[in-house]
Amino acid sequence: MWTTGAEQVEQAVAECVGLLGTVTGRDWEGVEAGRLEWSCRRTAVHIAEDLIAYAGQLAGREQESYTPFDVVLEEGAGNADTLRVIGTTGALLAAAIRTTPREVRAFHPYPFRSANREGFAAMGVAEVLLHTHDVAEGLGLAYEPAPELCAFVLGRIFPHVRPGETPWRTLLWATGRGELPGRPPVGGWRWSNNLVIGTERLTLQGVTPAAAADLAAVGDGGFAWIEGGPVEGTRVGAGLLHRQYEDGVHLPEWGMYALVRREDGRALGAMGFHGVPDAEGLTEIGYDLVEGARGHGYATEALRALSQWALGRPEARTVVANVERGNTPSQNVLARAGFTRVAEDPEHLTYELREPGEG
């Protein structure tokens, strides 16, 4: 069953408070947290700061920056009090996630200046897991969070990271805290929230590996679909995306996008690339719509936006689409979006759109 992430935030916080609650009598201020330059106490406070910051972004629907406030513990507050604050701020983030509509996005700087409720949930869980690890390492405690929490994070905000045999070790490696056989050490790193491209009537929302896995398994991927959706082509494309993720060749911007109607937040189809541009700058695009959404210009609108986005990237020079000979409506969509027919075979017609100046 699809989850928005509130339960994962609560579980991560409970594991953190449960473990660190066994050592509140120790000195947290004079001990560095793992590989960090912060003390264990400062790192624990930082967990609470992140949780309440993310809750504030969602609750305030912040669009341009972080809400300008911070967490300050009262003078004399001890380690046990710090854990109380982590528990409270975790509960506030979980509540914000539960009460925020799916289509709401709020400011987060990386990488596309916004995140939805699932993104903030995944970032919150990541902060709890990673910094609990840092504190536990500093204090000499054994800590390994539930694998499903790590997989939750990886499948939503680390779409560019090939999964490993164990989600926890993969997450530690991806954040410069551990090693994985056959993979080089990680220095600088960042997570990646999904890209959203807007048009007049639609938002094209990047499908995460977690959502792709759910769609391929006959779920809804966390989207509210119009009647009849998602269609088989979307499920097949989602399966392809997830295989690319598992193979370590998925780059999220060059994946699949759900086409979501602005007026009601309903998904009505999908569009995406078959892979990253090749050495010649060529990438192939495909799409489909739920039957009830056809004939309203949605595919043309989305295709114009996504192909123009692609041609605005330095690595892409040509967008190609292949369509069956008998599929006249799709051929008309391509023509209206500015594509030109350039080749054909007994079964398919090939259309392409080139960047300005290419001929």
Side-chain angles (χ1 to χ4, degrees):
M1 184 176 178
W2 190 256
T3 176
T4 59
E7 296 87 350
Q8 284 72 21
V9 170
E10 291 167 337
Q11 182 180 349
V13 167
E15 290 185 4
C16 165
V17 172
L19 175 68
L20 300 185
T22 65
V23 290
T24 54
R26 300 264 301 273
D27 176 18
W28 291 13
E29 191 63 61
V31 179
E32 287 190 351
R35 305 182 187 190
L36 303 183
E37 296 181 355
W38 291 343
S39 70
C40 290
R41 172 62 178 257
R42 176 70 189 90
T43 304
V45 172
H46 178 72
I47 294 174
E49 291 172 339
D50 282 331
L51 292 171
I52 193 61
Y54 295 158
Q57 294 303 98
L58 285 176
R61 312 292 197 258
E62 291 287 349
Q63 297 299 306
E64 300 298 331
S65 64
Y66 274 113
T67 309
F69 71 94
D70 205 347
V71 170
V72 178
L73 272 65
E74 292 183 352
E75 185 176 351
N79 295 334
D81 298 315
T82 303
L83 295 181
R84 288 172 55 200
V85 176
I86 291 175
T88 297
T89 53
L92 290 171
L93 176 55
I97 293 165
R98 286 194 173 98
T99 55
T100 298
R102 193 205 168 281
E103 293 307 299
V104 168
R105 297 185 73 85
F107 172 83
H108 186 275
Y110 188 81
F112 304 116
R113 297 185 61 80
S114 73
N116 61 11
R117 62 188 183 186
E118 290 175 28
F120 279 107
M123 291 187 290
V125 172
E127 293 286 355
V128 175
L129 301 187
L130 295 171
H131 290 313
T132 301
H133 162 79
D134 297 333
V135 175
E137 190 173 53
L139 296 174
L141 301 174
Y143 171 67
E144 182 167 342
E148 61 268 22
L149 291 179
C150 307
F152 174 84
V153 170
L154 289 167
R156 286 163 175 80
I157 58 173
F158 287 89
H160 51 293
V161 173
R162 176 167 57 90
E165 293 184 2
T166 58
W168 178 226
R169 291 186 63 191
T170 302
L171 183 58
L172 289 177
W173 171 81
T175 57
R177 290 171 166 83
E179 299 178 353
L180 278 182
R183 302 199 200 184
V186 172
W189 62 273
R190 288 188 183 274
W191 51 51
S192 180
N193 283 290
N194 64 328
L195 173 64
V196 173
I197 299 170
T199 71
E200 181 181 356
R201 297 180 296 166
L202 303 170
T203 56
L204 283 61
Q205 301 182 17
V207 174
T208 64
D214 189 65
L215 283 166
V218 201
D220 59 17
F223 297 96
W225 292 84
I226 66 172
E227 185 177 355
V231 297
E232 183 61 22
T234 295
R235 298 199 186 281
V236 171
L240 173 63
L241 184 159
H242 198 261
R243 286 193 295 275
Q244 292 174 337
Y245 167 65
E246 290 182 321
D247 291 340
V249 296
H250 173 58
L251 291 181
E253 300 98 305
W254 296 101
M256 172 188 284
Y257 295 79
L259 311 184
V260 179
R261 198 161 49 194
R262 287 183 182 273
E263 67 180 30
D264 58 5
R266 296 280 177 172
L268 46 81
M271 182 173 291
F273 304 100
H274 293 190
V276 300
D278 64 17
E280 304 301 320
L282 184 147
T283 184
E284 184 175 353
I285 199 168
Y287 51 89
D288 60 18
L289 291 183
V290 179
E291 185 173 356
R294 297 170 187 170
H296 300 281
Y298 291 125
T300 301
E301 186 174 327
L303 184 59
R304 284 175 179 153
L306 192 55
S307 57
Q308 290 301 325
W309 173 87
L311 294 177
R313 300 287 295 264
E315 63 266 42
R317 294 192 294 276
T318 307
V319 179
V320 169
N322 290 296
V323 60
E324 295 177 350
R325 278 185 172 274
N327 192 347
T328 302
S330 189
Q331 295 168 29
N332 292 336
V333 166
L334 289 162
R336 287 194 295 268
F339 283 66
T340 302
R341 196 171 89 180
V342 295
E344 60 183 280
D345 62 31
E347 296 183 353
H348 296 90
L349 304 177
T350 300
Y351 289 74
E352 69 176 28
L353 182 68
R354 293 177 175 268
E355 66 178 343
E358 289 285 321

